[in-house]
């Protein structure tokens, strides 16, 4: 039996709980006995019995030397990393750690503009200066793909002093760039590559999927085990290859950003998810690919719907595709993605991963079955039939994505600058001091320091009007925005 069948952390925690120790330590609910009975019954005694704290036999995520260390070492072996750090603060925590491990105030970091908000938060916290690369926009789907090897080369030759290059791979929609080549280019400048692998925990475990960050030789990867790898929500990992980054520095930064009350439920779930991926991942993921590919084929048979596949590959930014993501384009039905999301919820109790103006995204994972896929196809068939009359007259012909705004101030300077509130409609031309994004996917439309354009304002309004979850500003009604105060000359 390979070492990967072992679960030192889960087994250790479970054995400890089974001994029923008399606990005079937190958590004060003491295995659920001090908890509201209704919740306790619902959650179950087993879960509560391992809701423990870092007492000595259970090791300490901040200074691992026992069962957590063993579990992290097994994860590193499974993911092809030199070191793996467990995160109980999601991939956001792992991402902030990556950036703050390589960047300090004034350091440059090269990032695509379509990054998750945790990356911009880390840039603000660290005081780093972002050098933005424009991602390739798909004009058919209205979504951003990754970055090209050419743009990486251009960014690095203009900024060879950058302290890191951040790459999103694969994207939320499952599209991967030529990561191996990107890593080669960055390493030729001695610049470490940090990968946001939030949507790619499974790719390491199957040959038919894009190569993982560690396989491509990247220096760090923040990998959401909880999203697609079978662990509990909020649990994630940070994989590190030694060389251009210091694992000791990574350990101290992740510790600075992490709660001292680390959840053993989350940590144990990482241990067992790694075991499942390492020992059965290939077989399970083959089944997922089959389920998704057959659904893709059936969706493409439905009039008015399209579900992209490998045919989109071949542009400079679309090097490979994770077929387990179903991006279903609904624009030919004359309704937007959000309306489809609501229709599926109300008519079939189906919850999609996300929707935008033109698409819905359904993710297929090791938790899915043929029966569930059949219900999705049945629902989409009815949806298309009910909207068939629209297909001729009112389909949305072209997608609209705003231009990337100009950055006038570093995000940190803008965030901490003196600000004032202005009416939304009068904010064009001003420097914004807050984030505005649609969540999910959490990619900012505006970040602090950027100059607001009319184009941004209409895009925000269009998203709000369509009912999409636009978030970020202090004024949730979007009547006003927070901008940098202008000091006019005294007359
Ligand atoms: C691309 C990307 N990066 C990072 C994250 C953050 O992950 P988490 O929610 O685990 O903090 C997300 C979450 O949606 C994401 O989509």
């Amino acid at each position: 039996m390979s070492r990967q069948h072992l679960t030192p952390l889960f087994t250790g925690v479970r054995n400890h709980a089974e001994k029923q120790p008399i606990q005079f330590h937190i958590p004060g609910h003491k295995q659920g006995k001090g908890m509201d009975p209704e919740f306790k019954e619902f959650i179950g005694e087993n879960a509560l019995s391992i809701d423990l704290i870092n007492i000595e036999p259970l090791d300490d995520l901040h200074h691992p030397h026992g069962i957590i260390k063993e579990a992290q070492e097994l994860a590193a072996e499974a993911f092809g990393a030199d070191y793996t750090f467990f995160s109980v603060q999601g991939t956001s925590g792992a991402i902030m750690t990556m950036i703050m491990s390589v960047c300090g105030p004034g350091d440059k970091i090269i990032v695509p503009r379509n990054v998750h908000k945790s990356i911009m938060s880390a840039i603000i916290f660290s005081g780093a200066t972002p050098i933005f690369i424009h991602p390739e926009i798909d004009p058919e789907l209205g979504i951003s793909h990754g970055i090209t090897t050419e743009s990486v080369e251009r960014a690095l030759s203009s900024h060879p002093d950058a302290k890191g290059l951040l790459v999103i791979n694969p994207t939320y929609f499952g599209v991967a760039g030529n990561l191996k080549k990107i890593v080669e280019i960055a390493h030729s400048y001695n610049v470490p590559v940090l990968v946001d692998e939030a949507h790619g925990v499974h790719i390491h475990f199957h040959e038919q999927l894009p190569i993982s960050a560690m396989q491509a030789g990247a220096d760090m990867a923040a990998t959401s085990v909880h999203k697609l790898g079978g662990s509990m929500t909020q649990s994630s990992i940070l994989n590190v290859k030694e060389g251009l980054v210091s694992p000791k520095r990574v350990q101290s930064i992740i510790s600075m950003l992490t709660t001292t009350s680390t959840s053993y439920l989350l940590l144990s779930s990482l241990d067992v998810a790694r075991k499942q991926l390492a020992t059965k991942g290939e077989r399970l993921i083959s089944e997922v690919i089959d389920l998704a590919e057959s659904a893709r084929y059936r969706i493409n048979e439905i009039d008015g719907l399209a579900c992209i596949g490998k045919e989109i590959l071949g542009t400079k930014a679309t090097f490979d595709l994770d077929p387990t993501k179903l991006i279903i384009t609904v624009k030919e039905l004359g309704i937007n993605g959000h309306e489809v999301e609501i229709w599926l919820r109300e008519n079939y109790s189906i919850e999609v991963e996300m929707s935008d103006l033109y698409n819905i995204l359904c993710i297929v994972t090791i938790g899915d079955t043929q029966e569930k896929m059949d219900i999705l196809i049945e629902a989409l068939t009815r949806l298309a039939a009910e909207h068939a009359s629209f297909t001729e007259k009112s389909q949305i012909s072209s997608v609209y994505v705003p231009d990337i705004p100009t950055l006038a101030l570093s995000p940190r300077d803008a965030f901490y600058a003196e600000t004032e509130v202005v009416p939304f409609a009068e904010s064009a031309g001003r420097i914004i001091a807050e984030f505005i994004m649609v969540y999910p996917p959490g990619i900012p439309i505006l970040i602090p320091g950027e100059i607001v354009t009319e184009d941004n304002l209409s895009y925000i309004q269009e998203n709000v009007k369509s009912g999409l979850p636009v978030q970020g500003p202090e004024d949730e009604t979007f009547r006003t925005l927070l901008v940098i105060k202008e000091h006019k000359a005294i007359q």
Side-chain angles (χ1 to χ4, degrees), residues 60 64 88 90 93 118 128 152 199 203-204 275 285 404 407 431 438:
D60 181 354
V88 289
S118 56
V152 168
H199 300 286
I203 60 176
H204 189 79
K275 171 189 156 191
I285 295 163
I404 292 175
L407 189 70
I431 301 173
V438 185

Side-chain angles (χ1 to χ4, degrees), residues 89-92 95 116 118 168 172 196 198-199 224 226-227 439 441:
Q89 303 201 174
T91 307
S92 297
I95 283 176
H116 184 259
S118 56
I168 310 160
Y172 202 172
D196 174 348
H199 300 286
S224 282
H226 75 89
K227 287 198 203 303
Y439 186 86

